[in-house]
């Protein structure tokens, strides 16, 4: 995938360099207080925009990319994986979710406008406070409630934008040599171990350790004719404890040319059915049922990493309840025993367009 091709693998996006991104359904948190990380309720399905040329809005075809179905005010988080180090930019309506700056064609500092993979295992929202983020929540364009609308004063793009950058050839060679030396040292330690040695920890799963499989989507009536765009964007909800890690590499270690980028369109459930002919996922589980089920919550902290300070632009973003009103039922917080501490290809190419 060195050619910059983006593909769908199941419900994952694969970008060049082994970068994998999944969009996870989750419980929407109250907009007051600071909370632990809620687990996942399954993955959002992904479809290529260009596979539905007769039913998607024309501007979506021009931008290319993929689409996923999301309910009004449904929350999501992004799960990341990477075979080798990568700088990944995450945009909410082409506003950087890390820095609050306008979308940039290259990595930047002061402020940092990307997350570092694989150190950053997931991102649940915009970088809005010291050691906290505000949850990603889907809202329609046109109300001013999106991150894009509040930061720029306009709602033009919506959706989510992803762009990854690899290490330069020199930095990548150095990193691979370090990994080789570490692997050799691990072999030596295992050979000396009287107990038979130890293995590396299993790859850490994202907070959604118990995702529900998407299953087969039942067929719906034939897809209808194209409709006007009812685009969705990302606003913010409640605050949760999550760090956005500061890059400890020099900026010169990163390539200035993206290895892959993709525009992710957010589609309302009725629009998803009209476009794809598939049934969208059901509404998310309500909080009371979620808590009664005893599903775990998570706290994640990397003691070797430094958290990025929030920027003024993102710190000033207001939650969607300030725009749409409060629709929460009484909150049932998780019990202390439910909060778990955590330690540190296939398919057709996805088309890219003008955005």
């Amino acid at each position: 995938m060195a050619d910059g091709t983006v593909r769908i693998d199941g419900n994952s996006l694969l970008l060049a360099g082994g970068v994998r991104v999944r969009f996870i359904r989750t419980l929407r948190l109250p907009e007051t207080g600071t909370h632990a990380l809620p687990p996942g309720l399954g993955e959002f399905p992904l479809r290529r925009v260009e596979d539905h040329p007769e039913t998607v809005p024309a501007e979506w075809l021009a931008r290319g990319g993929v689409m996923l179905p999301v309910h009004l005010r449904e929350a999501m988080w992004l799960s990341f994986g990477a075979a080798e180090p990568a700088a990944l930019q995450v945009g909410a309506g082409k506003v950087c979710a890390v820095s609050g700056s306008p979308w940039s064609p290259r990595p930047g500092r002061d402020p940092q406008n990307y997350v570092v993979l694989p150190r950053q295992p997931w991102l649940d929202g915009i970088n809005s406070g010291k050691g906290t983020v505000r949850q990603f929540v889907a809202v329609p364009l046109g109300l001013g409630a999106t991150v894009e609308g509040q930061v720029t004063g306009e709602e033009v793009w919506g959706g989510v934008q992803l762009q990854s950058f690899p290490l330069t050839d020199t930095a990548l060679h150095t990193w691979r040599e370090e990994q080789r030396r570490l692997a050799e040292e691990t072999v030596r330690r295992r050979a000396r171990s009287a107990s038979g040695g130890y293995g590396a920890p299993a790859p850490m799963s994202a907070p959604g350790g118990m995702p529900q499989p998407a299953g087969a989507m039942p067929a719906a009536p034939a897809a209808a004719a194209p409709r006007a765009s009812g685009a969705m964007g990302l606003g913010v909800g409640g605050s949760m404890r999550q760090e956005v890690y500061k890059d400890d590499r020099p900026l010169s270690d990163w390539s200035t040319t993206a290895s892959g980028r993709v525009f992710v369109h957010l589609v309302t459930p009725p629009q998803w059915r009209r476009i794809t002919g598939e049934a969208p996922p059901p509404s998310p589980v309500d909080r009371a049922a979620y808590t009664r089920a005893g599903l775990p919550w998570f706290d994640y902290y990397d003691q070797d990493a430094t958290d990025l300070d929030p920027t003024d632009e993102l710190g000033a973003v207001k939650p969607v309840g300030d725009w749409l009103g409060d629709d929460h039922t009484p909150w049932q917080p998780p019990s202390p025993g439910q909060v778990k501490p955590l330690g540190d290809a296939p398919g057709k190419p996805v088309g890219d367009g003008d955005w």
Side-chain angles (χ1 to χ4, degrees):
M1 296 181 63
D3 58 355
T5 300
V6 178
R7 300 180 187 272
I8 296 176
D9 178 19
N11 291 327
S12 297
L13 278 176
L14 295 182
L15 286 75
V19 172
R20 181 180 294 267
V21 180
R22 296 182 299 141
F23 296 83
I24 310 296
R25 309 180 77 210
T26 192
L27 184 71
R28 184 162 60 94
L29 299 174
E31 293 174 358
T32 57
T34 299
H35 307 272
L37 302 174
L41 299 173
E43 300 168 341
F44 287 97
L46 297 171
R47 300 290 182 267
R48 298 194 317 159
V49 167
E50 62 204 271
D51 286 340
H52 303 277
E54 303 300 323
T55 50
V56 298
E59 61 265 36
W60 293 15
L61 280 175
R63 294 171 186 170
V66 301
M67 54 188 172
L68 63 83
V70 61
H71 292 265
L72 174 66
R73 289 189 172 188
E74 185 171 7
M76 70 170 64
W77 50 270
L78 277 60
S79 171
F80 306 133
E84 296 179 333
L88 180 69
Q89 293 177 330
V90 179
K94 295 187 70 172
V95 173
C96 177
V98 175
S99 69
S101 302
W103 188 252
S104 170
R106 59 183 57 86
R109 296 273 176 85
D110 301 323
Q112 180 178 313
N113 64 357
Y114 56 91
V115 294
V116 182
L117 306 186
R119 166 158 273 176
Q120 190 82 38
W122 48 74
L123 186 66
D124 286 58
I126 65 169
N127 180 31
S128 60
K130 188 66 176 176
T132 64
V133 300
R134 291 205 75 113
Q135 190 173 38
F136 291 133
V137 176
V139 288
L141 301 188
L143 302 177
T146 62
V147 175
E148 176 186 3
Q150 294 188 57
V151 172
T152 70
E154 297 180 304
E155 291 182 320
V156 176
W157 300 101
V160 179
Q161 297 76 39
L162 301 170
Q163 187 165 242
S164 64
F165 297 84
L167 291 172
T168 63
D169 290 344
T170 299
L172 181 59
H173 175 76
T174 299
W175 179 83
R176 287 174 173 170
E177 284 298 304
E178 291 173 350
Q179 299 306 301
R180 182 185 59 79
R181 288 194 294 270
L182 288 173
E184 291 175 349
E185 178 61 23
T186 298
V187 170
R188 287 193 292 269
R189 288 179 179 178
R190 286 176 175 172
R192 291 195 298 265
S193 174
S195 63
Y198 53 88
M204 181 173 52
S205 64
M210 293 186 282
Q212 300 171 354
M217 294 288 186
R227 302 294 182 92
S229 173
M232 303 270 280
L234 290 180
V236 301
S239 177
M240 66 189 78
R241 292 183 290 275
Q242 183 178 79
E243 296 175 311
V244 180
Y245 297 124
K246 183 178 181 180
D247 189 7
D248 56 8
R249 292 180 175 276
L251 186 60
S252 58
D253 274 6
W254 299 110
S255 171
T256 58
T257 301
S259 58
R261 71 169 199 164
V262 62
F263 197 112
V264 182
H265 304 265
L266 306 182
V267 182
T268 64
Q271 193 176 29
W272 177 264
R273 186 183 290 270
R274 287 195 299 267
I275 290 173
T276 67
E278 300 175 10
S283 297
V285 177
D286 67 66
R287 288 171 294 170
Y290 186 94
T291 299
R292 286 196 302 270
L295 294 175
W297 296 60
F298 299 88
D299 270 326
Y300 179 77
Y301 176 69
D302 187 337
Q303 64 181 358
D304 296 325
T306 302
D307 181 44
L308 282 177
D309 291 327
T311 61
D312 292 341
E313 290 84 356
L314 294 182
V317 173
K318 304 298 182 184
V320 298
D322 286 9
W323 300 79
L324 305 181
D326 184 18
D327 68 338
H328 276 305
T329 55
W331 172 245
Q332 296 188 27
S335 65
Q338 283 181 263
V339 180
K340 309 296 183 184
L342 296 174
D344 193 42
K348 298 178 181 178
V350 173
D352 186 25
D354 296 327
W355 49 275

